[in-house]
Amino acid sequence: MAPGLLPAAGAHAVPRAVADGKPVVQLSAKEAGKGGSLTVTGRGWRPKALLTLLICGQNMIGGSNSCANGDGRATTTDAHGAFRRKLPVAEPPKPCPCVVHVATVTGAAAAADAPFTVAGHPVAPLPRETTGGRLAVLAQPRLAGSSGLLTWFGAPAQRELTVTVGNLGPAPARDPVFRVGTSHGVFAPKWEEQQWRGTIPAGKKAQIRLPVELPAGAHGDYLVSLAYGGRTLVEQPWGVGRPWGVTLFWVLLCVVIPTAVFRIGMALVDRVRPHRTDRTRRRSSGRGHAAGRPPGTGVRTRTRTKDRTAHDGSTDGPGTPGDSGGLPWFTPDTAPSTTTSTERPTSKGSA
């Protein structure tokens, strides 16, 4: 009966890492060439966690800079903390020994590595640690600083990462070089080396301040990472507000440009349209000032009317239809005859 129970016991065997509460990673192949693929499976991860899968050189001692980040893949664990994902084989920027590195993107940090050989990729010895100190974080880090008016209009957001570290090694750490990285979403961090001037004696602690800057117009949830000696010491979230000043600028630009185009168009229309003649302008001016005429206008109008009346009377006789200036003195029945003498009689005794 013992041989019959062996397969069942092997099927239900649980890796020691899973029993200890640590996530594990298993590969479908231990070696493959560039252009191929392998299947990566894992268990013991946090349920519904977002993971990244990378092939890294030098056992990932140099961090994500030694990984083939462009050919990585992302996956999400199921309700039991397991996953299964195909990963294309790519050559990392560093020589082997290589590993398949799986790490969480958000939430509590967790990572696991599985040895892997990229066929045809160069192999080199692992680099030795040149630093004498062994630093560890002793207190919760914080980002000091605030955004100003220029950041509201899209200027790069700046903060200062303050962290307290202690030297756990036997030798002092002189002028340690840290790597500060910023990542957004599922993207890998962008690292920048910064040297801290000072010495941390063995068994002592020190407070380190390093500047952190994001690209112009950056907004959303970012993650600031601090690494030293190939190890990530701390990760600090950073929420950056949206630059609403840029949005306001574009809104004002959309209002000002149509208004300016409208004003220019109206000016062109006023320039090219035909002008009114002097006679039309005079008539409209007379109608416009009929109700209230300016001083002197009535005198000129009456003078012009009298001149017109005198001119008409010089061509037509008195009482004719053309004489519209005054009333006739006689009617046709009472008009004096041409034969009647209108001479006044002479007085008596005059010759």
Side-chain angles (χ1 to χ4, degrees), residues 10-301:
H12 294 84
V14 179
R16 180 179 298 178
V18 177
D20 296 340
K22 296 180 180 179
V24 296
V25 174
Q26 295 178 347
L27 307 179
S28 60
K30 296 296 182 180
E31 182 178 353
K34 180 182 178 181
S37 63
L38 70 153
T39 303
V40 184
T41 58
R43 288 178 294 174
W45 297 84
R46 190 174 65 252
K48 303 299 181 180
L50 181 61
L51 308 177
T52 56
L53 290 72
L54 299 171
I55 297 179
C56 306
Q58 290 184 346
N59 286 348
M60 203 187 173
I61 291 179
S64 60
N65 286 344
S66 59
C67 303
N69 298 311
D71 297 299
R73 292 293 183 268
T75 186
T76 304
T77 59
D78 56 15
H80 303 286
F83 71 91
R84 182 184 180 89
R85 186 74 162 85
K86 276 193 173 184
L87 178 66
V89 178
E91 294 185 352
K94 301 293 184 179
C96 287
C98 301
V99 295
V100 174
H101 179 73
V102 181
T104 56
V105 177
T106 58
D113 297 334
F116 181 73
T117 302
V118 180
H121 194 62
V123 180
L126 295 176
R128 294 182 179 180
E129 187 176 359
T130 58
T131 57
R134 201 159 43 90
L135 303 182
V137 177
L138 303 180
Q140 182 68 23
R142 60 186 179 89
L143 290 172
S146 60
S147 301
L149 181 62
L150 295 180
T151 307
W152 200 66
F153 282 93
Q158 298 178 349
R159 293 291 188 275
E160 188 178 60
L161 179 63
T162 303
V163 59
T164 302
V165 297
N167 187 0
L168 306 181
R174 295 182 176 89
D175 299 334
V177 178
F178 296 91
R179 299 174 66 240
V180 180
T182 55
S183 60
H184 180 60
V186 298
F187 297 98
K190 295 182 178 179
W191 297 97
E192 179 185 359
E193 291 187 353
Q194 298 186 20
Q195 187 174 19
W196 182 77
R197 297 294 180 178
T199 301
I200 307 176
K204 301 295 182 179
K205 64 179 180 179
Q207 190 177 61
I208 297 175
R209 294 184 175 88
L210 299 173
V212 183
E213 182 175 336
L214 296 179
H219 62 276
D221 296 329
Y222 282 80
L223 188 66
V224 180
S225 304
L226 180 66
Y228 177 77
R231 298 183 302 108
T232 301
L233 299 180
V234 70
E235 292 180 339
Q236 179 68 20
W238 182 9
V240 184
R242 183 180 295 273
W244 292 108
V246 179
T247 305
L248 179 61
F249 170 78
W250 285 110
V251 170
L252 293 179
L253 195 64
C254 294
V255 174
V256 170
I257 289 181
T259 304
V261 172
F262 175 77
R263 297 293 298 273
I264 293 174
M266 293 302 296
L268 293 176
V269 170
D270 186 66
R271 179 178 290 273
V272 301
R273 68 180 179 180
H275 295 281
R276 295 178 299 179
T277 60
D278 295 341
R279 186 173 182 181
T280 307
R281 188 182 297 109
R282 193 180 302 115
R283 289 179 179 177
S284 62
S285 177
R287 291 193 216 95
H289 297 291
R293 296 174 178 174
T297 306
V299 178
R300 289 195 298 270
T301 305

